[in-house]
Amino acid sequence: MPEADRLAVLEAEAVHVLREVAAELDRPALLFSGGKDSAVLLRLAEKAFRPAPIPFPVLHVDTGHNFDEVIEFRDRRVGELGVRLVVGSVQDSIDAGRVAEPAGRWPSRNRAQTVTLLDTIAEHGFDALFGGARRDEERARAKERVLSFRDAFGQWDPRNQRPELWNLYNGRVRPGEHVRAFPLSNWTERDVWAYVERDGIELPSLYFAHMRKVFERDGMLLADSRFVDRSPEEALVERSVRFRTVGDMTCTGAVPSRAGTVAEVIAEIAATPVTERGQTRADDRAGAAAMEDRKREGYF
């Protein structure tokens, strides 16, 4: 199928999911991290409901260890769209004694997001959350349905998923339960970038090659930041890099790159055999089932 046709099919499917969930559920929200997938999802939400405004808030679970460029982008985009921003703060959860500050060689707050996310869902009574996860990212995400049911404890049971035949979705939930909806399930990383190019979607500058001070840890290039302690053996060097994902700075690696445009990024992706999460997310290296374990606990 030609790329233009493929993107049109993916767009129509995603818009259908957005409209279907908004019609079936009472209090949805859209998870917005400021990354490329959620930026595309936000554009699709604009298209799904225009000329009316997006009829639900966007939710960001802020680890407190995010890239400054991402927070600036998040605040600017929600301001431009006039959409309500709900922020769940991991630091607030730590201060309240709900989670412990991670320690060790990889002191990532990524897993701690789960408690903050579930607390925020309960506080606002959300019964559906749109997310930008794609099946090509990682094996646990590959087996999750477009509408992923979560029980009253926010937990996912991969053995108890609802059938999805053709484009028929079951969004029924009982009080306390909710669903995670993934309109981009059938997209690939390259589809996302092709859509960014086609629609001229703005992304944080981190996604494009720039000079940055980095150091190597366990084969991954981490950005120099106030959130990560370097050992004397971890020498700081300045290199041309970009980021394929933009999560928590303590576990998100950069890749050497000279790709300064969307077209150059697409060409770079086409030439690499490694997925974005496999290449740049340290939290997924904790074990073969690291993502599934987090999802069972309520992670998005």
Side-chain angles (χ1 to χ4, degrees):
M1 180 185 298
E3 183 173 270
D5 293 343
R6 173 174 170 78
L7 290 180
V9 170
L10 291 171
E11 179 187 73
E13 180 184 64
V15 166
H16 170 71
V17 173
L18 284 156
R19 290 173 176 167
E20 188 73 10
V21 171
E24 284 194 53
L25 282 299
D26 294 326
R27 295 180 65 82
L30 187 150
L31 287 164
F32 184 67
S33 66
K36 63 184 184 307
D37 302 310
S38 57
V40 165
L41 192 56
L42 199 58
R43 172 61 60 86
L44 290 164
E46 285 185 78
K47 291 187 175 182
F49 303 104
R50 67 174 40 159
I54 297 173
F56 37 75
V58 299
L59 166 61
H60 182 216
V61 178
D62 185 351
T63 67
H65 290 170
N66 291 288
F67 291 89
D68 292 339
E69 296 93 329
V70 172
I71 298 301
E72 184 278 329
F73 177 75
R74 178 199 72 183
D75 293 343
R76 183 161 47 79
R77 283 299 293 140
V78 298
E80 290 168 352
L81 292 172
V83 65
R84 183 165 70 94
L85 172 65
V86 175
V87 177
S89 167
V90 173
Q91 184 62 57
D92 287 350
S93 298
I94 293 172
D95 293 343
R98 294 282 293 151
V99 294
E101 180 75 78
R105 182 171 172 79
W106 291 97
S108 169
R109 290 181 172 181
N110 224 24
R111 192 162 193 162
Q113 291 181 86
T114 300
V115 172
T116 306
L117 172 63
L118 296 179
D119 285 351
T120 307
I121 291 171
E123 178 185 352
H124 293 271
F126 295 133
D127 56 10
L129 291 179
F130 296 105
R134 312 183 320 267
R135 290 189 172 117
D136 77 320
E137 290 182 72
E138 194 276 336
R139 67 186 72 183
R141 288 185 166 171
K143 62 184 179 183
E144 198 163 16
R145 303 290 162 80
V146 174
L147 260 60
S148 183
F149 174 76
R150 303 301 171 104
D151 66 16
F153 301 100
Q155 296 174 333
W156 175 58
D157 182 357
R159 298 167 301 180
N160 184 29
Q161 300 192 82
R162 294 172 175 174
E164 291 181 344
L165 303 176
W166 303 287
N167 59 352
L168 301 176
Y169 303 111
N170 181 356
R172 182 178 300 175
V173 294
R174 291 174 291 190
E177 299 173 340
H178 69 277
V179 295
R180 309 284 173 86
F182 302 111
L184 306 185
S185 285
N186 294 327
W187 296 48
T188 66
E189 182 185 16
R190 188 169 178 175
D191 292 329
V192 168
W193 277 103
Y195 196 77
V196 166
E197 183 176 50
R198 193 196 79 172
D199 269 38
I201 297 173
E202 182 186 357
L203 297 178
S205 58
L206 293 168
Y207 279 110
F208 303 97
H210 58 285
M211 298 302 294
R212 181 176 288 264
K213 291 181 178 178
V214 296
F215 63 95
E216 184 173 339
R217 174 174 293 177
D218 298 344
M220 184 174 291
L221 292 177
L222 291 181
D224 182 37
S225 83
R226 57 193 180 278
F227 307 124
V228 182
D229 293 326
R230 284 185 298 112
S231 69
E233 294 76 27
E234 294 172 325
L236 206 59
V237 296
E238 188 165 15
R239 298 184 64 177
S240 178
V241 299
R242 72 175 193 88
F243 291 83
R244 294 178 71 180
T245 64
V246 294
D248 188 287
M249 290 187 75
T250 61
C251 64
T252 303
V255 295
S257 175
R258 296 285 181 183
T261 67
V262 174
E264 289 170 348
V265 170
I266 291 173
E268 190 176 271
I269 292 170
T272 180
V274 186
T275 67
E276 66 208 86
R277 296 200 68 92
Q279 188 175 28
T280 66
R281 296 302 288 267
D283 49 333
D284 287 347
R285 297 180 177 183
M291 174 65 83
E292 182 165 326
D293 290 343
R294 295 202 302 275
K295 278 185 166 291
R296 286 176 181 269
E297 297 168 357
Y299 190 79
F300 45 86

